[in-house]
Structures are given as structure tokens and as C-alpha cells.
Amino acid sequence: MRRRIDEYVITEVLPLLMAGMLVVVLLLLIAVFVEVLGPILAKGANPLLVGKLIAFSIPEAVGRGLPIALLFAVLIAMTRLAADSEIKGALAGGISPGRLLSPVMVLSVVVALVSFVNVALFVPRSTERALQTQRDILLDNPRVLVKEGTVFKDALNRAIYIDEILPGNQLKGVQVIQLNVSESPRELISADRGLLESKTGTIVLYDGQRVTYRDAKPVTVANFKEARLPVQDLQATFTGGLKSVLVNLPLQELWARVKEARERGFPAFAENTALQRKFAEPAAAIAFGFFAVTLALYSFRSGTSVGLVWVLSLTFLYYATWSVFRVMGENGALPPVVAAWAPDALYVLAGLGLLVVTSRR
């Protein structure tokens, strides 16, 4: 019977895991395409560059989707196990709930490790290439970035804002801010108009002003007729602000940012939350495996059935709670460790609660 349970995990859960991951990844990519990539294609972006951008987005989508796909797969498989009286037969044959749990937990740990390796190694590399592709899209046709809140970041850690891009790569309302980790801006360059030289990757500013700051107070103010701003190492982001790419940084670089902010006496909420997410999101697979098995045991003991609607709801509940806690952590409303690990903890606590209720039946 023990062997049968192990075989069931392999023959039932793994195909569902692959199918669930494919569906989740496709949904995430479709969401990015509809919200971001579709509009820039409509504005004339090169389809080949957009295709490359989609390809480089796959590792990140897999990183998010793999734990969620595991929850979906195990819930479906264990629901079938309970409905087919396999759990009843296993318990009647002397198989303890712990032995019923073990093959699923082994698979969950494997999925968590695979997810962590993907997040730690492949996602940073693909993100770097995606940012490079976004830069290529920008230089190929800057009009595709006419969007409120558009942010660019170059190798000198400067944030560049452009209000409007006119025909002929003419720029209107340009602001360039020199940033430091968790500090107020050191320099602000603003100009009413400018020009993007696509071949050289240079922004030419006209009739502008440069203001330097110290402790958030202006120190010098200088006007200029023309200034050239090389941005060959420009990193553009279509999918949100600078916070959205922090979690995709290499682990060592992200830890260095957190350490630097700590030494300067700044909380660095976004950086700390991203660092915790590096570990919490892959570990969600373990919490999901535990919850799914305890739910199956509860379903068997109580005589209730977990339908497909409930499976889908429980699967995407994680994504909803993850989004809320992430924003709260990045903005300092919750400690970063709580914001990152709370969604995992909710499923573990729910599983423990189901286990206690089941043991009393």
C-alpha cells in the first residue's frame, strides 16, 4: 500500500503539476502581454524584440507559477484519492497519516529547491537580458514608452522620467534624478524639451536646470542651454517601478544593498522585502503540500468533497494574499519578514487547524 501511495504521487501529481505550471505561466505571460506588451506593440514596437522580451520573461513566470501549480496539482490529486476511497483503504491497511503525507512533502521539497535555484540563478540572468531588450525597444522606437509613470534607470543609478515623446524622437518634460540606496535624491536635472539620439543612446536636453541637494536641501542651482546625457547602459522597465525588479536581482547584490542601507541607518523596506521573498516564495511549495494533504484527510473524515471551484479558489488565494502583503512590506506597513512569509504561514496554520479537527473526528 505504501508503494501504491508513492506511485500515486508520481503518476497523478506530476502530470497535474506540469499542466498546472503551464497554465499558470501562460496566464502570467498573457497578463503581462495584455497590460504592457500589447499596448507597446500597438504603438509600433518591433515584434521580434517584443517576442524576445516574452521569452526572457518565462523564468520569472516559472518562479512564480511553480509553487502555485504544485498546490493545484496536489489538491486535485488528493481530492481524487479521497473520492476513490484510496485514503480509506490506506488508513485501513495500517498506513498512518504521516506516511500518507511523506511522499507529497518530498515532492514539495524538491519543487521548492528547483524553484529556489531558478529564482537564484536563472531569473537574474533572464531579467538582465529582458532589461537590455527593453532598452533596445526604447532606442528602436521611443514612442512606445509614452505611458504615465514610465521609469528608466541607467548604469549610474539615475532615474529618468519623460512626460511625452513627440515625432522625430523629440522629448517633452524630461527629469533626471540621481538616486542612492534609501537616500533622498542628490541631483535633479530637468528640461522642458530634449532629443533622443537612438544610434548613440544619448539624450540631449535643451534649456534646462540642474539642482544638487544635500540632506534633501538644495545646494546649487544652475541653468544650461544644452546638455548631453549618455544612457548607453539604460535599463527601462515597462512592468512597474524600480521596486518590481528588486526581487529579480542576484542574491548577492540584493544582500549588499540591504547591508549598505542598514549601515546608513535606513530601513530599506523594499530591498528587505525582496530579499525575504527570495526564500519565502520557493518555500511556499512546502506549505502548499502540507495544506493539500491535511485538506484531503479532513475531506475524507468529514465526508465532504472539495470541488474544482474550491481548488481554483484555494490556489489563487495565495496569489491574492501574496500581492497584498508584498505591497505592505515594500511600503513599511509590515516588517519585511512578516510580509514575505505571512502567505506561507497562513497555509501552514490552516493545515495545522485541519489536522487538529480531523484528529478529533
Side-chain angles (χ1 to χ4, degrees):
M1 181 64 69
R2 172 67 186 278
R3 184 179 178 183
R4 180 174 176 78
I5 294 296
D6 293 341
E7 290 177 351
Y8 190 91
V9 171
I10 296 174
T11 59
E12 294 291 332
V13 177
L14 285 182
L16 288 169
L17 175 61
M18 295 298 103
M21 185 179 68
L22 179 62
V23 170
V24 173
V25 169
L26 285 177
L27 288 175
L28 291 172
L29 291 178
I30 289 172
V32 172
F33 184 85
V34 171
E35 295 179 7
V36 181
L37 301 183
I40 70 173
L41 270 175
K43 293 177 182 178
N46 188 325
L48 292 178
L49 292 176
V50 173
K52 287 177 60 178
L53 189 57
I54 293 175
F56 291 138
S57 301
I58 291 177
E60 181 182 1
V62 170
R64 291 187 182 182
L66 190 55
I68 297 176
L70 176 73
L71 175 61
F72 171 80
V74 177
L75 282 174
I76 290 290
M78 297 307 294
T79 298
R80 289 181 182 176
L81 193 66
D84 295 340
S85 299
E86 293 285 350
I87 293 180
K88 181 179 180 180
L91 296 177
I95 300 296
S96 67
R99 285 192 173 185
L100 186 65
L101 179 65
S102 60
V104 176
M105 294 308 300
V106 169
L107 177 62
S108 300
V109 171
V110 171
V111 170
L113 291 175
V114 171
S115 182
F116 178 76
V117 170
N118 175 66
V119 169
L121 297 181
F122 297 106
V123 171
R125 296 176 185 176
S126 64
T127 299
E128 182 180 356
R129 294 183 180 181
L131 291 172
Q132 178 64 36
T133 304
Q134 291 180 31
R135 170 188 176 273
D136 294 340
I137 293 174
L138 164 67
L139 296 180
D140 180 69
N141 185 356
R143 289 182 60 82
V144 303
L145 297 178
V146 182
K147 182 180 178 182
E148 183 180 357
T150 294
V151 179
F152 311 102
K153 185 181 177 184
D154 68 3
L156 298 179
N157 207 30
R158 295 177 297 193
I160 303 170
Y161 301 85
I162 300 175
D163 289 338
E164 188 177 1
I165 302 179
L166 305 175
N169 292 356
Q170 298 289 329
L171 310 178
K172 183 178 180 182
V174 182
Q175 290 187 332
V176 182
I177 303 176
Q178 179 68 54
L179 300 171
N180 278 336
V181 177
S182 302
E183 288 186 0
S184 58
R186 293 191 308 171
E187 179 184 77
L188 171 63
I189 301 174
S190 58
D192 292 333
R193 62 188 184 93
L195 173 67
L196 175 60
E197 295 181 350
S198 300
K199 293 183 179 180
T200 62
T202 300
I203 295 179
V204 184
L205 303 177
Y206 302 100
D207 300 322
Q209 186 180 76
R210 176 177 179 267
V211 182
T212 59
Y213 295 86
R214 179 178 298 171
D215 298 328
K217 297 180 180 179
V219 177
T220 63
V221 179
N223 298 320
F224 59 85
K225 288 292 184 180
E226 180 179 326
R228 301 181 67 84
L229 182 68
V231 288
Q232 286 92 340
D233 295 323
L234 184 69
Q235 294 178 330
T237 173
F238 304 142
T239 54
L242 301 179
K243 292 180 180 179
S244 64
V245 298
L246 284 174
V247 72
N248 296 333
L249 291 174
L251 187 60
Q252 185 176 3
E253 180 179 346
L254 188 57
W255 170 247
R257 290 194 180 198
V258 172
K259 185 178 179 181
E260 180 183 352
R262 187 178 300 168
E263 291 173 350
R264 293 174 178 267
F266 294 96
F269 294 119
E271 290 82 359
N272 270 298
T273 300
L275 181 62
Q276 293 294 329
R277 286 173 57 197
K278 283 278 194 181
F279 300 93
E281 291 176 8
I286 300 174
F288 292 161
F290 175 72
F291 172 77
V293 174
T294 57
L295 180 61
L297 290 171
Y298 171 79
S299 175
F300 163 70
R301 292 290 191 185
S302 63
T304 59
S305 177
V306 180
L308 182 61
V309 174
W310 272 103
V311 170
L312 293 174
S313 299
L314 291 169
T315 300
F316 289 99
L317 177 64
Y318 169 77
Y319 189 77
T321 56
W322 166 83
S323 299
V324 173
F325 282 110
R326 174 183 61 82
V327 173
M328 295 178 69
E330 290 175 347
N331 291 280
L334 283 175
V337 65
V338 174
W341 290 93
D344 297 10
L346 289 176
Y347 277 84
V348 172
L349 291 175
L352 289 173
L354 290 172
L355 205 57
V356 170
V357 173
T358 302
S359 65
R360 294 178 179 178
R361 289 182 177 268

